[in-house]
Amino acid sequence: MLKKNCELAQPLLAWYRENARDLPWRHTQDPYAIWVSEIMLQQTRVAAVLGYYARFLTALPTVADLAAVDEDKLMKLWQGLGYYSRARNLQKAAQAVMADHGGQFPQSVEGLKALAGIGDYTAGAIASAAFGLQASAVDGNVLRVVSRLLDCHDDITLPATKKTFTAWIDGQLPPAGDDMRQFNQGVMELGATLCGPNSAPQCEGCPLQSQCLGYSRGTAETLPVKAPKKPRRKEEKTVFVLTCRDKVLLRKRPATGLLAKLWEFPNVDGHLDETAVADQLERWGIAPVQWQKRLTATHIFTHVEWDMVGYCVEIAPADDLPEGWVWAETALDDHAVPSAFSRFVAAL
Ligand code: SF4
């Protein structure tokens, strides 16, 4: 192992200040904006977050605005980012900040962790970047960098490994203040760029090369060690895009589980052929006027993959709809339909 007080911080910070990507959340010390960026960046690429981050902060510039926003509007702002429980937890946490903390974010890791959706990593990231507190923020990028630095072959998906690496990085933190504001960003930046996940590490330009055991022992490319993921479950679905003039039928998904409470096109399990689709429409009391298209689409979630066929059908006006169904404008301006259905949204 590297010795505890090796000079990690100074070369890393010097490199970061020269080479950091210019990202909007790196220009602020506002805990609200930093928190929004950190939640959006969970499981989502930087390039995909940029537009959402700007729109979100324009629509909801303060924690008070987020606490008070209508849920449908919030979902619409989040539409396409996925993992919608993140947005609901954001609002829950914003409401707690308003109700319990007078509109100010708690200035401690423990206080931040008491808010919905904020775990060890996010609390450390906000505490350091917004308040300059001495706190580590260990994400997948940091685990990869540390496993290479230490030439450690323990499985990084295990909590025990994360605990060991966190304790090690805690021993490398600079004092509270400006260096600390950038330290965690620096390790993550290294893990997102030179020491990245999908290609060989670019050790030649790395500020930590002289201290890196993975580099000196030639093992860096084989690290980190990660247990293989379980294969995703596949689910077949038949999706109904039922339109009548400039309206389309939607229904709300259940209050818990995948894509909870978002709007969706009516759908059933399995792949139905046209005869079975006609039978299903009849069971719903819906009269088709014209069959327009048959579409196919796949959507991959973390643990499940949807394999969908969809039927676009113009139907006769219907008022006696199944419970929970609504007529929406085909522009879908007021309804957040998750990107799992984007192929069918495009067909509108
Ligand atoms: Fe990663 Fe190479 Fe730097 Fe080691 S020297 S931290 S393996 S980029």
Side-chain angles (χ1 to χ4, degrees):
M1 276 214 170
L2 286 176
K3 59 184 186 289
K4 192 153 174 96
N5 292 317
C6 73
E7 271 304 305
L8 189 77
Q10 289 316 317
L12 180 76
L13 287 165
W15 170 82
Y16 177 75
R17 286 169 184 149
E18 274 293 299
N19 297 283
R21 289 166 295 172
D22 184 14
L23 300 172
W25 44 86
R26 290 179 172 167
H27 293 289
T28 179
Q29 293 179 6
D30 174 4
Y32 173 65
I34 291 168
W35 169 54
V36 168
S37 74
E38 287 295 343
I39 300 295
M40 286 186 170
L41 286 163
Q42 289 168 8
Q43 329 237 21
T44 311
R45 288 172 304 109
V46 166
V49 165
L50 288 168
Y52 282 94
Y53 175 79
R55 279 192 297 278
F56 195 95
L57 290 187
T58 302
L60 306 172
T62 67
V63 67
D65 296 320
L66 172 56
V69 72
D70 170 73
E71 186 178 328
D72 277 341
K73 184 172 174 197
L74 177 62
M75 289 300 121
K76 198 71 197 163
L77 283 167
W78 205 266
Q79 179 177 307
L81 259 185
Y83 303 99
Y84 290 81
S85 58
R86 293 183 295 173
R88 294 211 172 82
N89 280 334
L90 268 178
Q91 187 170 44
K92 245 191 244 166
Q95 289 165 346
V97 168
M98 296 308 296
D100 305 334
H101 301 279
Q104 303 298 315
F105 277 81
Q107 294 199 21
S108 70
V109 168
E110 287 315 312
L112 289 163
K113 274 170 62 177
L115 299 171
I118 297 187
D120 291 332
Y121 163 77
T122 310
I126 300 170
S128 55
F131 306 125
L133 297 181
Q134 201 186 39
S136 59
V138 177
D139 70 350
N141 285 325
V142 177
L143 291 173
R144 178 172 51 261
V145 171
V146 175
S147 79
R148 289 172 173 173
L149 282 171
L150 302 180
D151 187 27
C152 177
H153 294 244
D154 295 347
D155 177 355
I156 61 162
T157 62
L158 296 176
T161 310
K162 187 170 178 186
K163 205 168 156 196
T164 309
F165 284 13
T166 303
W168 183 81
I169 208 103
D170 282 347
Q172 312 296 327
L173 301 178
D178 277 347
D179 283 355
M180 197 54 240
R181 286 182 193 280
Q182 296 186 328
F183 177 84
N184 289 322
Q185 290 288 328
V187 191
M188 286 185 263
E189 186 75 355
L190 190 66
T193 56
L194 299 183
C195 203
N198 300 320
S199 57
Q202 299 165 48
C203 304
E204 294 318 314
C206 178
L208 306 182
Q209 190 203 82
S210 64
Q211 311 179 57
C212 179
L213 294 182
Y215 172 74
S216 60
R217 294 175 183 169
T219 56
E221 240 181 279
T222 67
L223 294 166
V225 172
K226 252 186 186 179
K229 283 186 187 158
K230 281 193 203 149
R232 283 189 196 92
R233 193 174 75 246
K234 282 206 177 187
E235 289 180 3
E236 292 184 345
K237 295 195 174 294
T238 300
V239 176
F240 295 78
V241 183
L242 306 173
T243 54
C244 183
R245 298 190 197 98
D246 58 351
K247 297 275 198 312
V248 61
L249 280 174
L250 298 179
R251 69 181 183 190
K252 214 163 217 190
R253 288 185 57 80
T256 55
L258 188 66
L259 306 177
K261 294 199 272 180
L262 295 172
W263 293 100
E264 66 174 0
F265 299 111
N267 57 79
V268 296
D269 290 338
H271 283 173
L272 306 190
D273 61 18
E274 283 200 15
T275 311
V277 166
D279 291 346
Q280 181 63 55
L281 290 175
E282 197 178 329
R283 276 196 289 283
W284 280 330
I286 286 170
V289 174
Q290 196 186 355
W291 296 74
Q292 292 171 329
K293 269 188 215 141
R294 181 182 184 279
L295 301 168
T296 57
T298 309
H299 191 81
I300 295 173
F301 299 93
T302 309
H303 302 298
V304 62
E305 180 176 330
W306 283 359
D307 177 13
M308 297 171 278
V309 295
Y311 292 88
C312 302
V313 184
E314 196 181 321
I315 64 172
D319 292 326
D320 192 13
L321 297 171
E323 201 184 325
W325 291 29
V326 297
W327 283 112
E329 302 289 331
T330 49
L332 297 177
D333 286 340
D334 299 323
H335 296 80
V337 176
S339 53
F341 296 100
S342 56
R343 179 91 178 83
F344 309 107
V345 170
L348 287 174

